[in-house]
Amino acid sequence: MQTAMRVTSLMMSGQSMAGLEANQERLAEIQRRMTTGKTISKPSDDPAATASALRLRSELAQNRQYSRAIDDGKAWINASDSTLSSMAEQVRRARELVQQGINGTSSQQSRNAMATELEGIRSSLVGLANTTYLGRPLFGGTTSGAQAYDAATGAYVGDSGTVSRQIGTTASSRIDVTGPEAFGPAGADLFTALSTAITDLRTAPGNLKADLDALAAASTRITTAQTDLGARFNRLDAAATRIEATTGDLTASLSGIEDIDLARTIYDLNVAQLSYQSALQATAKVIQPSLLDFLR
Amino acid sequence: MGTFDGLSVALSALQAQRRMLDVAGQNIANVNTEGYTRQRVNLQAVGATTVKGVWTGSSNSLGGVQAVGIERLRDAFLEVRGQAAHGAQGELTASQGVLSQIEQVFPEPSDSGFGEQLSALWSAFQDVANQPGDIGTRTALLQRASAVGDWLNAASQQLTTLSVGAAAEAQSGVDEVNSLAQQVADLNLAIGDAQHSGLSFNDLADKRDVLTMRLADLVGGQAGIGPDGAARVMIGGTPLVAGTTVRQMQLTGGGATLQLSWAQDGTPVQLTGGQIKGLVSSVATAIPSWSAKLDSVASSLASQVNALHSAAYDLDGNVGGPLFTGTTAATISVAVTDPRKVAASSVAPGPGGPSLDSGAAQGMASLGASATGADVVYRAMVSDLGLAVEAVTRGASTQQTVTDSIDSARQSYAGVDIDEEMANVVQYQRSYEAAARVLTAVDATLDQLINRTGLVGRQ
């Protein structure tokens, strides 16, 4: 029957070494965490947290994507809105001129002068309708051409495609208005109305009343388009605010998963250092003495 | 009883104590020798013969003491447990080593990992969706796609390199096993010879124990000592070493078909543990399975992007071909080189020319949020890999504790304790002094008898 376990010299030194190595390993791991500031350096450190971190990172990247699309969309809407504003201004001037033409006091000579001014306004309006944003005509739908309206004839050369921006996982918002939507359908649009008015000022002042009505309708259409754009801008703004808030939440969650708790880590580091030092002292005390020290 | 018997008894005692001192010295000398087993002198009192003579009478004979042998103090049962533990330990450590290296191919979560690269690709698709007519964003997209393809190629290459490295390690292990087996057979022969000649073979036996333990580490061999003193090393029921006969092993095939078999007849070796088992199963099973998972990341990326891209129209109004070629991680690459040929539009060209619609590009950008997309497949793979490494690391660490405690018990039984040896040395020294004192006493007695007795009448 064995009474007590024999403790041999190799056993003692082996166990001491194993203990010291375990202590050092722990110390090194805590130091790695302190210096990198990250709790996870490889998937096996925490597989579930790694999966969450990857998902959060991917969601954050998507949010950045949506943010960029929204910023781009807002710039497009702003450009469209300011173009429509200056066009509305000029249409008002065109209506004034036609109104003056209707008045019986104006002579044919002055009506001819009005017609000339109106020609200038028309070509300016066609130019504005061809305004581009980053090389694309704002009112040309998805055309790959450089213009929405033919500069000479004022005919619509864009297409009926629409431009949208993805502003959420499933939500997307239209950001453009096409030429026909803002300026009227082909054949009955703003530029045709102006052409007719110019001709009528010169040759048939009796038709000017109808022309004024057509211009009033065009003016209303532009205002309606601006209202639409304003509503879309607000929608993008709301989405941007929502994404900003979500991004904050996601970043906080990611930091909670990946980053160290500094106070906790410093505490762990001190505990590990203390335990390493104790192990060293114990080893020094235990390994040294043997019967040899007491034999004379 | 003879007159001088006392002298010979004292002499035998002196010799026996010296022998014991020598053995204690040998033990102390080998306190740090790996595999050394402490030895002890077995003493026996020399007395009367057990068979009584009929015509001779020496009933009260005292012959002193004699050393009948030097014994190795080793527990055979602990040795067998040690071999089993070392075999399991070797397998787990090797598997863990390879799996940790696989894990290093996927350093997640990080700002430069594959997850971020995929996000950058989806982001580039989004930029093209925002600016479908811009050549710069299209070029950037092609570069992002190339980076993703390159990363997959590199990861696949790293797994192949790992597989080759592990197979080479297994091969050098097999070479070592064949050499160790031969050495054990040679020692069996030497020990047999020593036994027949009545010589001590303790040091040879120590050496053989070290070799069989190494065989346990490598292939989980179980060694037993037969009645003839020869060691027999079994692997999965087949003897690797029996007496002086050795069966060689060999590695055949490569990659998923790597196999360890007996050189003699080519039948597979039924491994029960050992580093080689861990390495062979890593090369044949683990690495191919992670490689297949990486391939499924590549194929889901290629098939989803290509499905949308092939149905869309490029900047010149032509139908786009596949964006990626290849469906495995090793072969995937970007097929499109001309940025105009990136198909972003889901609307066919009209009379006014190609459409700047960006529905297709938007669709591809949204693949990043798809529940069955490459991101999800990759995330699941990384998470599985993390779990696998965590499990095998925990297993290896638990087994290490078991192995350490058995090694400690073996060491406790067979190892040298300096305190014990020193106490013995003191005891043997005192015994030697006592025997010398007996010799002096007998000498003085004889002196009394021979020189001082019968002096009556001497002048």
Side-chain angles (χ1 to χ4, degrees), chain A residues 5-11 15 40-44 47 50-51 53-55 57-58 61-62 65 68-69 72 134 136 142-144 165-166 169 258 290-292 295, chain B residues 31 38 103 106 108-111 116 119 122-123 126-127 130-132 354-357 362 365 368-369 379 386-387 389 408 411-413 415-420 422:
Chain A
M5 190 177 182
R6 289 182 76 241
V7 178
T8 67
S9 311
L10 264 184
M11 245 172 91
Q15 280 170 357
I40 316 170
S41 67
K42 51 186 190 303
S44 60
T50 304
L54 283 174
R55 189 176 46 73
R57 280 168 173 273
S58 149
Q62 281 158 29
Q65 237 170 268
R68 280 226 299 279
D72 180 74
L134 294 174
R136 291 182 70 177
T142 57
T143 178
S144 53
R165 290 289 177 264
Q166 193 79 19
T169 316
E258 283 190 355
S290 82
L291 190 54
L292 281 170
L295 286 176
Chain B
V31 65
R38 70 187 161 115
E103 191 188 20
F106 308 97
E108 297 284 2
S110 95
D111 294 337
E116 293 287 321
S119 292
W122 308 132
S123 223
Q126 181 74 57
D127 288 343
N130 291 347
Q131 315 278 340
S355 168
L356 274 190
D357 176 77
Q362 187 60 61
R379 276 209 291 277
L387 283 169
V389 174
S408 194
Q411 186 55 235
S412 164
Y413 193 80
V416 177
D417 175 8
I418 290 186
D419 288 351
E420 183 188 5
M422 284 315 296

Side-chain angles (χ1 to χ4, degrees), chain B residues 37-55:
Chain B
T37 307
R38 70 187 161 115
Q39 301 181 5
R40 194 174 59 194
V41 178
N42 284 338
L43 295 181
Q44 198 176 52
V46 181
T49 59
T50 46
V51 181
K52 198 175 186 294
V54 179
W55 306 111

Side-chain angles (χ1 to χ4, degrees), chain A residues 221-240:
Chain A
R221 255 191 226 106
I222 290 176
T223 315
T224 310
Q226 276 184 296
T227 316
D228 274 359
L229 287 175
R232 287 173 195 162
F233 190 90
N234 285 342
R235 188 165 173 222
L236 292 186
D237 233 10

